[in-house]
Amino acid sequence: MPLTISYAIIRMPDQWFARDRGAVKLFPFEQGGKWHEQALRIRSWKEWLPDGGAWLRGGFSKKRLHERSSDYYEQFVRETRRGEWAHWSMLLAMPIFAIWNTGWSILILFLYALMANLPCIALQRYNRVRFLRLMSRRGEICYAKEMTLVSMEE
């Protein structure tokens, strides 16, 4: 089931992941990424998570940066949303497993799904916050240069 969900979400158009909405909308306390670093201590365990985006054809590897351009950063942010939607979808699919499982096995499967998906969701959000912060800094620097040029011409 997880591979089917991942495959379907990889095939969805990029425009669907162009902005934060629904389950992937960032909360005010997440801005800047400090909450992820302090409360979740994400830097100490993030390297242990696999990069599922690289496993399927058409997927986007997010383990390492491959470029340093605005277009790449924008694609990276879109792909963090795509990855987060994939993990939320996997959690939402859990009731299907209750159809052919009973008792403790449902609880065990649910706990496994939480342990397998929540860290990945947290990492997607953390990376998105960091890239959005980086992109805004780049925008502020460009904006400041434009303003300086305008004021010099006047």
Side-chain angles (χ1 to χ4, degrees), residues 36-37 40-49 126:
H36 299 88
E37 291 171 3
L40 301 178
R41 303 221 182 270
I42 202 163
R43 287 182 175 227
S44 65
W45 52 263
K46 66 182 184 121
E47 293 300 319
W48 292 93
L49 294 180
Y126 173 66

Side-chain angles (χ1 to χ4, degrees), residues 89-101:
S89 298
M90 288 175 211
L91 283 174
L92 291 173
M94 277 306 302
I96 294 170
F97 291 98
I99 294 170
W100 59 83
N101 289 288

Side-chain angles (χ1 to χ4, degrees), residues 32-66:
K34 296 218 183 302
W35 180 82
H36 299 88
E37 291 171 3
Q38 293 170 354
L40 301 178
R41 303 221 182 270
I42 202 163
R43 287 182 175 227
S44 65
W45 52 263
K46 66 182 184 121
E47 293 300 319
W48 292 93
L49 294 180
D51 181 8
W55 294 353
L56 295 172
R57 185 182 309 168
F60 185 90
S61 175
K62 295 176 290 301
K63 193 75 164 179
R64 302 271 179 259
L65 287 180
H66 299 285

Side-chain angles (χ1 to χ4, degrees), residues 91-127:
L91 283 174
L92 291 173
M94 277 306 302
I96 294 170
F97 291 98
I99 294 170
W100 59 83
N101 289 288
T102 58
W104 286 102
S105 62
I106 296 171
L107 179 63
I108 291 168
L109 286 170
F110 181 71
L111 291 174
Y112 170 76
L114 287 176
M115 291 186 323
N117 289 292
L118 289 181
C120 297
I121 290 169
L123 182 59
Q124 299 295 344
R125 297 175 78 84
Y126 173 66
N127 283 336

Side-chain angles (χ1 to χ4, degrees), residues 12-29:
M12 291 178 177
D14 282 352
Q15 311 85 281
W16 289 16
F17 307 100
R19 60 189 176 97
D20 291 344
R21 59 183 176 181
V24 301
K25 190 170 178 127
L26 295 169
F27 295 104
F29 69 86

